[in-house]
Amino acid sequence: MVPFAHRLAEQSTAERAAVTPRLDEEEQREAVFRRLDHLGYRVGQGLVERFSRDRPRFTDTLDMIKFLCKDIWTLVFRKQIDNLKTNHRGVYVLTDHSFRPFARMSMASPSETLARVQPFLWFPCGIIRGALASMGIEATVQAETAELPGATFQIKTITTKS
């Protein structure tokens, strides 16, 4: 998935090259991250539309997050989220101690780890955002990893002021 996003970002960069100067490496990296997030967003929307169709309507946000942790995560990564924490004020922390995309990764140094694994976290962040958006929740998602193969996703719901 990550090489595919790199290729798409390069194609869009090549199309704009005639109009604008060449993007520097950081801008190209951000374009790849945006593309991965967008792809994940669409996947998340599609999964919720497909697999929540036969379920009763969700009553609250916590039920939606539980659906995400149990059902959607199992469909995508073949296991449930290991831990779900909340402060009951719109912040949820999902922890996966053996995140499948990281299962066979190993790095020489811890500083190298963060830079190398970050692209693999954008797609699942997009899946989470898309799934929640499809259920009517606008949220921001941040992902991090302290050590392989674990990953932590922090979801902050955005409340709209009426």
Side-chain angles (χ1 to χ4, degrees):
M1 184 61 70
V2 173
F4 175 67
H6 277 286
R7 204 168 45 250
L8 288 175
E10 287 173 3
Q11 287 174 353
S12 67
T13 303
E15 291 169 0
R16 285 183 280 155
V19 178
T20 60
R22 181 96 173 130
L23 293 176
D24 68 344
E25 190 173 318
E26 185 63 30
E27 289 175 335
Q28 189 171 12
R29 182 175 166 87
E30 288 297 320
V32 169
F33 288 166
R34 280 192 306 275
R35 184 68 180 166
L36 283 169
D37 183 66
H38 182 69
L39 289 169
Y41 187 87
R42 292 290 301 135
V43 168
Q45 283 182 323
L47 287 172
V48 168
E49 288 173 9
R50 171 80 170 95
F51 292 103
S52 67
R53 180 175 45 195
D54 300 328
R55 298 179 56 94
R57 194 169 280 288
F58 297 107
T59 57
D60 65 346
T61 305
L62 186 58
D63 287 339
M64 295 177 199
I65 299 288
K66 286 180 183 177
F67 172 71
L68 174 73
C69 293
K70 293 178 182 178
D71 298 334
I72 300 297
W73 210 257
T74 301
L75 286 167
V76 177
F77 298 109
R78 298 186 189 149
K79 66 180 288 296
Q80 293 182 3
I81 284 286
D82 295 321
N83 196 357
L84 166 64
K85 294 180 182 176
T86 181
N87 67 356
H88 297 288
R89 285 186 231 124
V91 177
Y92 302 89
V93 179
L94 285 56
T95 306
D96 193 342
H97 297 296
S98 57
F99 188 53
R100 278 187 90 83
F102 296 166
R104 296 182 185 217
M105 284 187 184
S106 63
M107 303 293 165
S109 68
S111 61
E112 178 188 18
T113 303
L114 186 60
R116 293 282 185 131
V117 301
Q118 194 63 36
F120 293 91
L121 293 171
W122 282 94
F123 184 72
C125 284
I127 290 176
I128 294 169
R129 275 188 339 100
L132 292 174
S134 188
M135 292 185 278
I137 299 174
E138 190 176 347
T140 60
V141 181
Q142 295 176 334
E144 61 184 28
T145 183
E147 64 180 57
L148 293 177
T152 303
F153 300 89
Q154 183 178 28
I155 302 169
K156 293 181 182 176
T157 58
I158 299 170
T159 56
T160 56
K161 296 180 181 175
S162 301

